Amino acid sequence: KLVNFLIYSAVQEGASDIHIEPGDHSLRIRYRIDGRLFEKIQPPYKMHQAIASRIKIMANLDIAERRIPQDGDFNVMMDGRPIDLRVSTMPSKFGEIVVLRIIDSKNNRLPLDSLGFNERMLNNWREMVEQPNGVVLVTGPTGSGKSTRLPGWMAEHTDQKVMVVEPRRVACRSLATFLAKQAGEKVGESVGYSIRFEDVRSAKTRVLFVTPGVALRMLAGDDFGFRAVLIDEFHERGWEVDLIATILRVKRASGALDAPLVFTSATLDAESLAEELDAVILEASGRTYPVTIEYADDRGAVMMPTREDLDSRVERAVRDILARDEGDGEILVFLPGKGEIASLDRYRVDECDVA
């Protein structure tokens, strides 16, 4: 009953996320509304495991596994409309942190300018995606609509099939299902996905979400079949995504492919990347609050993501921020994937008093 209440009240209040955070014999539940976290209730700590288990069952996750992060999704009907929820769990010193991302179709039928593009940016977007050799780098905060808006607009403006490369299988499945429901269709019709052991698409599929491995296999085939490519969450890239980007650029340079390319990310050194890709930068402002962005390079040179000394590097970065004593706030650490998250010495990070 409590989980149902949390979901219902969060949707009614327009929240985008529900955070369930255990502490030292305490439990707090917060909603993210318009980008800010607000504390909703503090249930008894003894309810934490029951709440986490209930949500994991709904998301088809392993309730016995509490040592590694897990991702899943489920949907509920509310007021006659589907509500999709993405679930992420994260082990911490005091128990599992559970975060639910709410995707409400009532709040997501928005025009192109909902991303916060000004008129000049809108014109640049339309011009670049209609050119076979256009390259666009879209930056913007999490929740601004990059993953849910751009694929459909690319299909609309190019009138061609669009491939969307996502770093994780759960993202492919969830985003395809969400966009299909927005269109009033079953997933696999105009919007589909292809991941390991699952290929949900048809002859009329125009937007296909794929994982990097699937994208590489398609690029190796004789008939690629797509006339626009979007590489989402580019900051999470590994060698597979870099290889995809390189193959696409080589194919375009040789004339074997005439597809506009779009790269998106919430955390990129956009200027440097745009110079390397010869891309136009578009910033999706969405609903934002003042944020200071800094790039720390403790080796004196740009390097690819690595697990080497990861826990100590994260600890140094967090302690450096806390040492500034700039008032209350939250610290969000972006890591490339589950492996890096699981490899952290979480107890050392928890000692910094960071949830």
Side-chain angles (χ1 to χ4, degrees), residues 101-114:
R101 166 64 62 87
I102 300 170
I103 303 176
D104 185 355
S105 60
K106 179 182 177 181
N107 300 327
N108 284 283
R109 292 183 177 272
L110 300 175
L112 181 57
D113 57 10
S114 66

Side-chain angles (χ1 to χ4, degrees), residues 307-319:
R307 295 184 188 179
E308 183 181 352
D309 298 325
L310 181 61
D311 53 352
S312 60
R313 286 188 286 126
V314 171
E315 182 181 3
R316 284 200 305 272
V318 171
R319 288 192 181 280

Side-chain angles (χ1 to χ4, degrees), residues 67-320:
R67 298 167 299 173
I68 62 174
Q70 296 188 71
D71 293 308
D73 60 271
F74 65 95
N75 62 75
V76 297
M77 293 296 295
M78 189 173 296
D79 297 331
R81 69 181 188 276
I83 307 295
D84 293 314
L85 296 107
R86 301 185 205 168
V87 178
S88 296
T89 69
M90 168 70 67
S92 74
K93 185 176 182 179
F94 302 109
E96 282 185 299
I97 297 171
V98 181
V99 178
L100 294 88
R101 166 64 62 87
I102 300 170
I103 303 176
D104 185 355
S105 60
K106 179 182 177 181
N107 300 327
N108 284 283
R109 292 183 177 272
L110 300 175
L112 181 57
D113 57 10
S114 66
L115 276 175
F117 292 166
N118 58 35
E119 189 62 32
R120 178 182 61 81
M121 288 183 174
L122 286 173
N123 291 335
N124 284 341
W125 164 261
R126 296 188 178 102
E127 178 182 347
M128 294 303 293
V129 297
E130 289 171 3
Q131 293 180 8
N133 60 346
V135 181
V136 182
L137 177 59
V138 180
T139 66
T142 299
S144 61
K146 302 182 299 299
S147 302
T148 55
R149 307 280 184 266
L150 294 179
W153 292 326
M154 290 177 67
E156 176 184 347
H157 284 283
T158 62
D159 197 26
Q160 299 286 349
K161 290 185 177 181
V162 177
M163 170 188 280
V164 184
V165 182
E166 292 286 345
R168 294 176 299 277
R169 285 178 289 176
V170 65
C172 291
R173 191 185 298 113
S174 298
L175 287 168
T177 301
F178 170 70
L179 292 179
K181 286 182 178 179
Q182 277 201 316
E185 305 173 346
K186 292 183 178 180
V187 64
E189 295 183 22
S190 66
V191 182
Y193 66 91
S194 183
I195 61 179
R196 189 181 183 187
F197 304 132
E198 286 185 68
D199 191 10
V200 185
R201 54 175 163 162
S202 63
K204 66 176 186 178
T205 298
R206 297 181 62 207
V207 177
L208 185 69
F209 290 86
V210 300
T211 50
V214 172
L216 283 173
R217 288 195 294 273
M218 290 182 172
L219 281 167
D222 295 330
D223 183 17
F224 183 55
F226 296 91
R227 292 296 175 265
V229 179
L230 186 153
I231 300 180
D232 198 18
E233 307 290 6
F234 196 61
H235 59 273
E236 294 192 24
R237 72 189 193 276
W239 70 266
E240 288 180 312
V241 172
D242 282 348
L243 182 56
I244 291 168
T246 300
I247 292 173
L248 289 171
R249 295 178 68 188
V250 170
K251 283 180 174 287
R252 284 156 52 92
S254 65
L257 180 68
D258 58 349
L261 301 180
V262 176
F263 299 85
T264 76
S265 176
T267 54
L268 274 178
D269 185 355
E271 296 290 342
S272 298
L273 184 60
E275 183 177 352
E276 175 68 24
L277 298 173
D278 191 23
V280 171
I281 300 176
L282 298 181
E283 182 177 356
S285 59
R287 292 176 294 185
T288 62
Y289 295 87
V291 175
T292 299
I293 299 177
E294 300 178 11
Y295 296 95
D297 182 4
D298 52 9
R299 292 195 177 189
V302 176
M303 61 180 181
M304 293 294 291
T306 175
R307 295 184 188 179
E308 183 181 352
D309 298 325
L310 181 61
D311 53 352
S312 60
R313 286 188 286 126
V314 171
E315 182 181 3
R316 284 200 305 272
V318 171
R319 288 192 181 280
D320 179 62

Side-chain angles (χ1 to χ4, degrees), residues 21-28 42-46 94:
E21 303 165 332
D24 187 8
H25 302 293
S26 65
L27 177 64
R28 68 175 178 178
Q42 286 191 345
Y45 178 75
K46 64 183 180 181
F94 302 109

Side-chain angles (χ1 to χ4, degrees), residues 2-12 18 31 55 58 74 76 78 83 85 100 102:
L2 178 57
V3 171
N4 292 342
F5 166 76
L6 292 173
I7 295 172
Y8 180 81
S9 63
V11 171
Q12 292 296 104
I18 303 172
Y31 292 173
I55 294 172
M58 296 172 75
F74 65 95
V76 297
M78 189 173 296
I83 307 295
L85 296 107
L100 294 88
I102 300 170

